Amino acid sequence: MALTGRAALLAALGSIPVGILEPGWTGLLAVNGTLALACAVDCALAAPVRALGLTRSGDTSVRLGEPAEVHLTLTNPSGRPLRARVRDAWPPSSWLPGTEPAASRHDVVVPPGERRRLTTRLLPTRRGDRRADRVTIRSYGPLGLLARQGTHTVPWTVRVLPPFTSRKHLPSRLARLRELDGRTSVLTRGEGTEFDSLRDYVPGDDTRSIDWRATARQNRVALRTWRPERDRHILICLDTGRTSAGRVGDAPRLDSAMDAALLLAALATRAGDRVDLLAHDRRVRARVQGRSAADTLPSFVNAMADLEPELVETDSRSLVSTVLRSAPRRSLVVLLTSLDAAPIEEGLLPLLPRLTQRHTVLLASVADPQVAEMTAARGDVDAVYAAAAGTQSRSQRRRTADQLARYGVHVVDATPDTLAPALADAYLALKAAGRL
């Protein structure tokens, strides 16, 4: 039971005049006794809390930055009306800062034998699973003097998925993919492309693609069209070690890498390629393999939902061994990792020949746009020192990229906003050149 503010105020105000007008304690005890009786009756008329039935329904998943609604249904089986304040508790990251009290508290009246549905609107600020905490119910009597309070555990989980903000770039990359597939007038032929069909020659076409036998049979010039080979295997590897925890702008590097991986997965599955996912630091954190084209992207999103950077050094030897086991045949291996000199030179570089002799390797890294701003800074001593530091940092990254290129690794180094489309463009370029 809980004494409400109304009851406490009445007790304080009722005792003052009685104590002044009547000497002794008789009048005071009489007033307080009446108040106590009123509180007891009020409490007895309040609906019981433990007997209430509570169930949940609503959203079970939502993309980061989008709202979710979870419904809590209260059933009042007692013969007394329920007048209550309900607190539906969730982790603090389920709302924007400062909005939790208003979003989680509800006032409700439930007549005897009826039910009411309350809606809690969540706006999560972090990826991962958000699990409902206890539901606290304070049931008031008709006078509002005393209340019964109790808690219920009503489990529910909302999985917060990556936002996939780069999906806005998908239509333009799909248009380029259709060009590569020979579905439009722009046709390309690469070393590893496949024969698609014949069509009439149009002035300006590449004469090397003329099919002379078909031309002789049809009495008109026939041209072969080509399309990139399909059913290639692509393995996307997310480095979840300590370097992925570094924040660039408002988000960790890992979040930008995941967004780029999702765009590449969506594009590659449309191209008819098979895409797998591996998240690794010192051990495998997530793996998606052998999914159908329709199930690849949902599986990626679900696997990435609760991935967080680990504050450990990535074991490059274990990573390379896991990649070789996961991709026994020739594949495109996409490493989303840091381009910092120390982790590359001491960890990955000595192991690259094992990868490049079997696979085509593409390394993508998140660059900090603030470095470019520092490099362009001028005006005072601090700005000059910042420009020197920025220039040195960019030179180191270029030198590391050149080292990787000498091993045959294709490098994409871009800012968070441009990493996803740049990686998709690199994939399309490799496909057009028949390098997959």
Side-chain angles (χ1 to χ4, degrees), residues 12-329:
L13 294 177
S15 63
I16 294 173
V18 173
I20 295 175
L21 297 175
E22 293 192 30
W25 297 94
T26 305
L28 182 60
L29 290 175
V31 172
N32 286 342
T34 303
L35 180 60
L37 179 61
C39 288
V41 173
D42 198 41
C43 179
L45 295 177
V49 174
R50 292 184 180 179
L52 296 175
L54 286 86
T55 58
R56 288 193 186 273
S57 61
D59 296 328
T60 56
S61 64
V62 65
R63 291 194 182 276
L64 182 64
E66 296 180 358
E69 291 189 349
V70 178
H71 309 297
L72 181 68
T73 302
L74 274 72
T75 303
N76 179 17
S78 69
R80 285 163 281 180
L82 173 69
R83 307 172 186 85
R85 165 154 284 200
V86 180
R87 180 176 183 262
D88 189 6
W90 290 76
S93 58
S94 302
W95 292 281
L96 293 174
T99 63
E100 185 270 337
S104 64
R105 288 166 171 77
H106 310 274
D107 293 321
V108 63
V109 176
V110 186
E114 296 187 14
R115 66 183 66 182
R116 292 292 185 270
R117 190 175 74 173
L118 308 176
T119 299
T120 301
R121 290 177 174 83
L122 310 178
L123 188 61
T125 58
R126 291 180 57 189
R127 287 181 293 103
D129 291 338
R130 297 291 167 266
R131 294 181 173 84
D133 203 345
R134 295 171 298 177
V135 177
T136 303
I137 302 174
R138 179 171 289 185
S139 173
Y140 295 92
L143 299 178
L145 299 177
L146 211 63
R148 301 184 182 191
Q149 182 168 306
T151 59
H152 290 257
T153 301
V154 191
W156 193 261
T157 301
V158 175
R159 170 155 285 201
V160 185
L161 306 173
F164 193 15
T165 56
S166 63
R167 63 181 178 270
K168 62 187 176 184
H169 300 290
L170 187 58
S172 61
R173 271 59 190 180
L174 288 176
R176 293 183 56 186
L177 180 63
R178 286 192 293 271
E179 294 176 358
L180 295 180
D181 277 346
R183 298 172 190 165
T184 65
S185 60
V186 181
L187 299 172
T188 61
R189 181 178 177 181
E191 181 182 350
T193 53
E194 297 176 337
F195 171 73
D196 185 35
S197 61
L198 292 172
R199 66 171 176 84
D200 290 342
Y201 174 82
V202 176
D205 285 335
D206 188 352
T207 56
R208 293 175 298 176
S209 295
I210 295 177
D211 189 320
W212 295 107
R213 291 185 179 179
T215 298
R217 288 195 306 267
Q218 300 176 5
N219 294 324
R220 63 176 184 271
V221 181
L223 196 77
R224 294 176 181 173
T225 61
W226 309 85
R227 69 179 182 189
E229 294 180 358
R230 300 186 178 190
D231 201 28
R232 302 293 106 181
H233 181 223
I234 300 171
L235 179 60
I236 301 176
C237 303
L238 288 174
D239 181 357
T240 55
R242 65 170 183 82
T243 56
S244 67
R247 300 186 73 85
V248 178
D250 296 330
R253 281 187 167 91
L254 180 60
D255 285 29
S256 300
M258 289 193 300
D259 193 51
L262 290 175
L263 180 62
L264 178 59
L267 180 62
T269 52
R270 298 285 188 93
D273 292 332
R274 295 174 291 110
V275 189
D276 293 337
L277 173 70
L278 178 69
H280 191 285
D281 40 73
R282 288 186 178 177
R283 61 180 179 87
V284 176
R285 301 289 176 179
R287 191 197 299 267
V288 177
Q289 280 184 312
R291 302 303 174 92
S292 65
D295 193 41
T296 296
L297 195 61
S299 299
F300 272 41
V301 170
N302 193 55
M304 292 176 181
D306 56 356
L307 270 182
E308 294 292 344
E310 300 290 334
L311 300 182
V312 296
E313 196 71 40
T314 299
D315 187 347
S316 298
R317 188 173 299 277
S318 173
L319 172 61
V320 171
S321 299
T322 305
V323 168
L324 293 175
R325 288 195 303 270
S326 303
R329 297 181 180 179

